[in-house]
Amino acid sequence: MQTNPTHTSLVAVGDSFTEGMSDLLPDGSYRGWADLLAGRMAAVTPGFRYANLAVRGKLIKQIVDEQVDVAAAMQPDVITLVGGLNDTLRPKCDMGQVRALLTEAVERLAPSCKQLVLMRSPGRQGPVLERYRPRMEALFEVVDDLASRHGAVVVDLYGAASLSDPRMWDVDRLHLTSEGHLRVAEAVWQTLGYDPEDTEWRTPLPATVPPRWVARRVADVRFTRQYLLPWIGRRLTGRSSGDGLPPKRSKLLPYEGPVE
């Protein structure tokens, strides 16, 4: 990888992870690692352009159908693609279909940019991760294989102990906190060949006294009521949290800060 490269444009493709949930700004919008990365790249390259096509809740087929051709047509220097994890969390998941669709996405995106970036997504410690770990690791094997065959780079967030810490995850237990997004931005920044700004992004948080049993149960009840039950309801009715939402930043334009 080139050291301190000059990239003039970035297009981000994916779901809620790339949209930036739950890195909440004061105005109620989301920032996220992709915006943070774009800001850094813009700071070293005047006129830098950025688009973020990600929409929360999207499955890999929706990403392929709705985002891939749009991103490819923009012909940016860098494209980031993160998708398929929502599929692995569904009760029924056809990993063969996920592999085929992810392969299709990479085959269409890799020739349209100077550098395609793939990721091994982070996983929060806990019973949910253990339940779905085999599917996630099968997905990451596909990612690694596609990267080796198409000249993409892989950012290994799954292997970073810091990002598996529950304290790096929001109360919905599905999305990273602001600190988590900062570390992801640093990971991608370094993978692209820029000088590190934080050499300790993989370093776990300092140990603290675990919350008391009662506090954990209260948090579990809150999580179930506010997040788990609505999530199950959407799955049962075939709805998605991203239904009807437009891409976060649909045009490749000079980056001047978070979308208002």
Side-chain angles (χ1 to χ4, degrees):
M1 179 60 60
Q2 178 185 354
T3 302
N4 288 324
T6 301
H7 294 123
T8 63
S9 52
L10 165 69
V11 175
V13 173
D15 51 34
S16 60
F17 175 69
T18 300
E19 184 183 345
M21 298 173 72
S22 295
D23 186 9
L24 194 64
L25 293 171
D27 65 359
S29 63
Y30 294 110
R31 183 178 54 178
W33 66 265
D35 280 11
L36 290 164
L37 177 66
R40 289 191 186 185
M41 297 170 81
V44 298
T45 306
F48 180 84
R49 297 175 300 151
Y50 169 57
N52 190 326
L53 306 179
V55 178
R56 68 196 70 172
K58 293 299 182 181
L59 302 174
I60 186 61
K61 187 178 190 310
Q62 294 170 308
I63 291 172
V64 171
D65 291 345
E66 300 167 13
Q67 300 179 33
V68 166
D69 282 347
V70 178
M74 292 177 176
Q75 298 281 304
D77 283 355
V78 178
I79 295 178
T80 63
L81 167 64
V82 187
L85 197 61
N86 282 334
D87 297 77
T88 68
L89 297 177
R90 295 295 177 103
K92 295 181 179 180
C93 174
D94 184 343
M95 287 304 298
Q97 182 183 44
V98 172
R99 170 187 284 273
L101 288 166
L102 195 57
T103 299
E104 180 181 349
V106 170
E107 289 178 345
R108 286 154 64 179
L109 291 174
S112 70
C113 63
K114 293 181 180 178
Q115 184 61 69
L116 178 62
V117 178
L118 306 177
M119 297 190 200
R120 295 162 58 93
S121 304
R124 181 185 185 276
Q125 291 175 359
V128 174
L129 175 62
E130 294 310 312
R131 178 177 180 181
Y132 293 103
R133 188 185 296 275
R135 287 184 184 175
M136 292 176 62
E137 293 185 348
L139 176 66
F140 300 152
E141 288 179 5
V142 176
V143 168
D144 291 342
D145 177 61
L146 289 171
S148 66
R149 291 195 284 118
H150 295 277
V153 294
V154 178
V155 184
D156 185 13
L157 306 174
Y158 181 70
S162 61
L163 294 177
S164 67
D165 190 315
R167 290 172 293 174
M168 284 286 184
W169 295 76
D170 194 43
V171 292
D172 67 0
R173 305 182 184 181
L174 286 174
H175 301 106
L176 292 169
T177 62
S178 296
E179 174 63 23
H181 281 282
L182 280 168
R183 296 195 182 209
V184 173
E186 179 67 30
V188 183
W189 172 261
Q190 292 184 26
T191 301
L192 285 171
Y194 293 96
D195 286 340
E197 295 187 11
D198 176 12
T199 59
E200 303 297 324
W201 73 268
R202 290 178 174 271
T203 302
L205 296 175
T208 58
V209 177
R212 294 177 179 271
W213 183 89
V214 172
R216 296 199 304 271
R217 297 294 78 77
V218 170
D220 288 343
V221 170
R222 176 187 175 193
F223 162 72
T224 300
R225 180 184 300 118
Q226 293 185 348
Y227 301 103
L228 181 59
L229 292 178
W231 184 85
I232 292 173
R234 290 194 298 271
R235 298 293 79 75
L236 293 175
T237 57
R239 294 178 291 116
S240 167
S241 58
D243 286 348
L245 294 180
K248 181 176 184 177
R249 188 183 180 95
S250 62
K251 296 182 179 180
L252 188 61
L253 297 172
Y255 183 65
E256 299 176 350
V259 178
E260 298 296 335

